[in-house]
Amino acid sequence: MAGVQTAVALREQGYEGPVTLIGAEPHQPYDRPPLSKAILLGKAETSAFDVDFASLDVDLRLGLDVTGLRPADRELDTEAGPVPYDILVLATGAHPLTLPGAEGVPGVHLLRTLDDAVRLAPVLENRHTVVVVGAGWIGAEFATAAREAGCAVTVVEATALPLAGALPAEVTTVMAGWYAESGAELLTHARVDTVRPGAVVLADGRELPADAVVVGIGARPATAWLAGSGIALDPGGAVTADGRLRTSLPEVYAVGDCVSFPSARYGERLLVHHWDNALQGPRTVAADILGAAREPYDPVPYFWSEQFGRFVQYAGHHAGADTLVRRGDPAGASWSALWLRDDVPVALLAVGRPRDLAQGRRLIEAGTPVDPGRAADPAVPLKSAAR
């Protein structure tokens, strides 16, 4: 997504020089969200971007692995030999974490690429018994698809609640109940000891039957190939860019899941592994390459998830908030949670309330204070709660 959008943004903003897009996968560039939904369930065969690369005069080099960066020579090392550059944009995304000891065990799957989804589709088609390791966004979306396909699903989560790394317990407690509603079993405080063909053994000795195991325990920036390049990375491996998404190397930018950037809005550096970030960041990079004067890249992060019959949307960054305002009953079909700092909205979670998300996102972007009492009334439009 980030690489494709960079090429598109360059052309849209008037860049006339040669543009080369290199990708390690052999497939036409594709969108990832359908992988855990339509493609997984066999409702679509492809999620290729509707982009005419030929008409944009973009040179696609697919199935080509980049193995190193030599900035002094302005060259990339690839399997097919060196590739020179004048300006380089890193859009290598993130790699899913693997489960220690499970590598190479038959029936263990990740869900990150088109090939992963294609390999997993028969699991759902044959209604296998599935164990999902990790109750994060990918785990929840895969469990949703597997239940829709009629699979028996058990989700194993090491922490006390689903989405523990993404959202606070004050909103995820109710989400834990969604698993049972769908017919999936959620086991919390459960750690995997061993995975073997046909079974997952937990640290407490419980043994779970598993025709297939799907691992969704997070991802890390795909930046190991940059070793020795001199590019600055943070301890987690993300490229550390500035407010224009420029890296520590001259004429080298980074976009998407592989890069962190400073947010003046939130007063900290953000690493955002979501689709919208891969859409927005390339516009800033293209503008900077073309010398256009724009504000630093400081978006309100946004993402969505479809899980257990619910449309979940989140905008902002709730760390640092001092007040939580609830809109509606979390036990119901639709509700929202609004995080405030000094009465200014900084984040919003909306479940089945897209209007709240749209209006709340605008309030967050503008830094508009709200009346907490009015904001807590789900009958009052959020925009009407503004002071």
Side-chain angles (χ1 to χ4, degrees):
M1 178 67 176
V4 166
Q5 290 301 323
T6 300
V8 170
L10 282 166
R11 292 301 189 220
E12 287 180 344
Q13 295 184 34
Y15 183 77
E16 296 180 350
V19 175
T20 300
L21 184 59
I22 300 175
E25 294 184 64
H27 312 291
Q28 281 291 113
Y30 59 87
D31 206 7
R32 292 192 188 278
L35 300 184
S36 61
K37 306 171 183 71
I39 289 180
L40 194 60
L41 288 166
K43 297 178 180 179
E45 293 183 357
T46 180
S47 61
F49 289 111
D50 186 17
V51 175
D52 188 340
F53 294 101
S55 70
L56 290 176
D57 193 21
V58 171
D59 179 18
L60 272 184
R61 302 190 65 181
L62 304 176
L64 182 60
D65 221 4
V66 177
T67 58
L69 166 61
R70 289 179 285 110
D73 299 322
R74 295 284 179 98
E75 285 185 340
L76 294 168
D77 290 322
T78 79
E79 299 168 314
V83 176
Y85 69 86
D86 295 312
I87 299 169
L88 177 64
V89 182
L90 309 177
T92 49
H95 287 312
L97 296 177
T98 57
L99 188 65
E103 297 92 337
V105 177
V108 176
H109 300 263
L110 300 170
L111 180 51
R112 182 76 181 184
T113 68
L114 178 59
D115 289 338
D116 292 336
V118 169
R119 281 189 290 266
L120 271 167
V123 171
L124 273 61
E125 183 180 353
N126 295 322
R127 299 185 179 181
H128 284 171
T129 298
V130 180
V131 171
V132 181
V133 182
W137 299 111
I138 287 294
E141 291 192 0
F142 178 81
T144 298
R147 285 300 302 139
E148 183 178 334
C151 297
V153 178
T154 301
V155 180
V156 175
E157 170 56 43
T159 65
L161 290 165
L163 296 169
L167 294 169
E170 53 204 10
V171 294
T172 58
T173 299
V174 68
M175 294 177 171
W178 297 354
Y179 288 78
E181 285 179 20
S182 77
E185 183 177 12
L186 174 63
L187 304 179
T188 57
H189 295 295
R191 294 188 176 275
V192 174
D193 178 72
T194 308
V195 178
R196 61 173 186 262
V200 173
V201 181
L202 303 182
D204 61 8
R206 283 179 290 177
E207 185 168 317
L208 309 175
D211 297 319
V213 178
V214 178
V215 179
I217 55 176
R220 292 290 182 271
T223 56
W225 67 280
L226 292 167
S229 69
I231 199 165
L233 306 177
D234 68 18
V239 176
T240 52
D242 66 8
R244 305 293 301 158
L245 297 178
R246 297 172 297 195
T247 75
S248 61
L249 297 178
E251 304 300 335
V252 179
Y253 297 80
V255 289
D257 292 3
C258 70
V259 60
S260 69
F261 55 89
S263 171
R265 184 190 307 276
Y266 292 106
E268 62 181 282
R269 183 169 283 275
L270 299 182
L271 175 62
V272 181
H273 281 194
H274 292 297
W275 188 92
D276 192 63
N277 180 51
L279 172 68
Q280 304 294 344
R283 297 170 181 170
T284 292
V285 167
D288 200 73
I289 289 171
L290 287 160
R294 291 192 180 181
E295 294 297 314
Y297 186 63
D298 196 5
V300 172
Y302 166 73
F303 66 89
W304 77 96
S305 177
E306 295 175 85
Q307 52 183 269
F308 308 117
R310 294 165 172 86
F311 186 45
V312 182
Q313 296 172 283
Y314 177 89
H317 183 61
H318 61 270
D322 54 36
T323 304
L324 172 65
V325 175
R326 299 182 186 275
R327 290 173 56 82
D329 181 4
S334 63
W335 52 276
S336 297
L338 181 67
W339 285 270
L340 310 177
R341 184 170 60 233
D342 297 328
D343 290 346
V344 175
V346 294
L348 176 80
L349 175 72
V351 178
R353 291 182 68 95
R355 185 172 297 177
D356 276 7
L357 189 286
Q359 295 181 9
R361 189 178 184 181
R362 286 193 286 270
L363 293 172
I364 295 167
E365 288 171 343
T368 304
V370 299
D371 181 303
R374 286 181 60 75
D377 185 347
V380 174
L382 265 179
K383 63 181 180 181
S384 300
R387 285 179 174 168

